[in-house]
Amino acid sequence: MAENHVAGKVIVVTGAGSGFGRLLCQRTQAMGARVVAIDVDAAGLDETVAGLPAESYLSVTASVADVDALKAAVAQAVTAFGGVDVMVNNAGTMPLAFYADHEQAYDAWIRCLDVNIKGVLNGIVAVHDQMIEQGRGHVINLSSIYGNFPVSGAGIYGATKAAVNFLSESLRLESQGKIKVTTVRPTGVPATNLGGGIINPEAISGILGINTASYMEKLGSLSEGTNSPELLDPESPQYVALEPQYIVDAIIHAIDQPWGVVIGDVTVRAMGDGYIL
């Protein structure tokens, strides 16, 4: 049986109140980790940790835009568990919109900058000194395929994810031999609530390009229940709607390595999706 490198680790997860973050907390705790679940949504956090043994987690209501709150959460983890092994900067928003939508989108864009860039920076800052002092640690940053190249409809969101890539790579270069760094670039994952922040639904066309009509037709058939079974079957090459568990599988794979082994950059796709990046 392969060694379990997740067991015993202290894993901090932002955006833990839903989506990838919730599933990651629950899955890693089941593998023997102790988790520090952070989210601005207290009710969501309660759902995440419901049923987990009390000694295996901390639940902290905080905004990632508040560096002092993240530092305090890390301090709680060190007091409770003796250190921090992994920081997963997962919290994010996705307010897709065109520049012409600025009247409706501006406030959401500013929040996106605060959460997606400032939040990742704050997460790094909150754990950096502790991990350096320990002599090892692991930072996992959630980016996106949107950060690979600019497209219409995602100027602000894509810029934040490109910034995450820069933050990750510069941290890797500065902390080699002490802090491992992994960048995860999810594609579209309809089952998370990230799409709920989209301002203009037409803005998704930028990442679909010539595939817009065909892919939206497939997604429409899913919502109407008229789709062919292959579209939802991960064993099928027609699979189009990636489920959150596969992104979480990739994050856990990155964590579940010996300290000297780094999974540096991860992209997981549904084989039949229509994204051009």
Side-chain angles (χ1 to χ4, degrees):
M1 181 180 294
E3 185 175 353
N4 177 0
H5 296 284
V6 176
K9 285 183 175 175
V10 179
I11 303 174
V12 181
V13 182
T14 67
S18 62
F20 302 141
R22 172 177 293 171
L23 189 55
L24 181 63
C25 287
Q26 294 170 343
R27 292 266 306 276
T28 54
Q29 188 281 326
M31 294 176 71
R34 290 163 293 177
V35 298
V36 182
I38 301 175
D39 203 296
V40 72
D41 178 8
L45 281 178
D46 288 343
E47 291 184 34
T48 295
V49 301
L52 299 185
E55 68 276 7
S56 70
Y57 75 86
L58 290 176
S59 177
V60 182
T61 303
S63 168
V64 295
D66 184 345
V67 69
D68 290 332
L70 288 189
K71 287 180 177 180
V74 169
Q76 289 181 54
V78 172
T79 298
F81 301 134
V84 171
D85 297 299
V86 184
M87 165 60 92
V88 183
N89 288 307
N90 165 69
T93 69
M94 190 176 72
L96 300 183
F98 301 106
Y99 286 107
D101 300 314
H102 62 86
E103 289 289 347
Q104 297 83 19
Y106 189 79
D107 288 346
W109 285 343
I110 295 302
R111 180 169 181 265
C112 182
L113 295 173
D114 281 344
V115 174
N116 293 13
I117 300 179
K118 190 176 177 182
V120 171
L121 173 61
N122 289 345
I124 292 170
V125 167
V127 297
H128 179 272
D129 293 356
Q130 178 65 32
M131 289 182 174
I132 294 297
E133 182 180 342
Q134 293 170 178
R136 64 186 188 184
H138 189 181
V139 172
I140 300 176
N141 293 330
L142 271 288
S143 180
S144 168
I145 57 171
Y146 272 105
N148 294 347
F149 197 82
V151 295
S152 63
I156 285 72
Y157 179 67
T160 67
K161 292 306 185 178
V164 171
N165 298 342
F166 272 61
L167 291 170
S168 298
E169 187 62 11
S170 59
L171 177 62
R172 181 189 72 83
L173 292 169
E174 291 184 20
S175 59
Q176 284 179 300
K178 290 195 174 181
I179 299 177
K180 304 199 291 187
V181 181
T182 300
T183 305
V184 181
R185 306 172 193 241
T187 60
V189 185
T192 68
N193 62 4
L194 195 60
I198 294 175
I199 306 298
N200 185 341
E202 293 184 7
I204 196 174
S205 63
I207 203 172
L208 293 171
I210 62 171
N211 299 322
T212 300
S214 61
Y215 189 61
M216 295 308 290
E217 182 180 352
K218 291 176 182 177
L219 291 184
S221 73
L222 295 180
S223 65
E224 295 167 3
T226 59
N227 58 287
S228 61
E230 289 81 3
L231 298 185
L232 290 176
D233 182 2
E235 294 292 344
S236 167
Q238 304 304 314
Y239 183 51
V240 298
L242 192 70
E243 296 169 86
Q245 71 187 63
Y246 296 110
I247 301 297
V248 173
D249 285 345
I251 297 171
I252 291 174
H253 178 63
I255 297 171
D256 193 17
Q257 302 296 324
W259 274 111
V261 177
V262 185
I263 306 298
D265 205 316
V266 180
T267 299
V268 181
R269 299 179 183 272
M271 187 173 177
D273 75 28
Y275 305 114
I276 62 176
L277 295 181

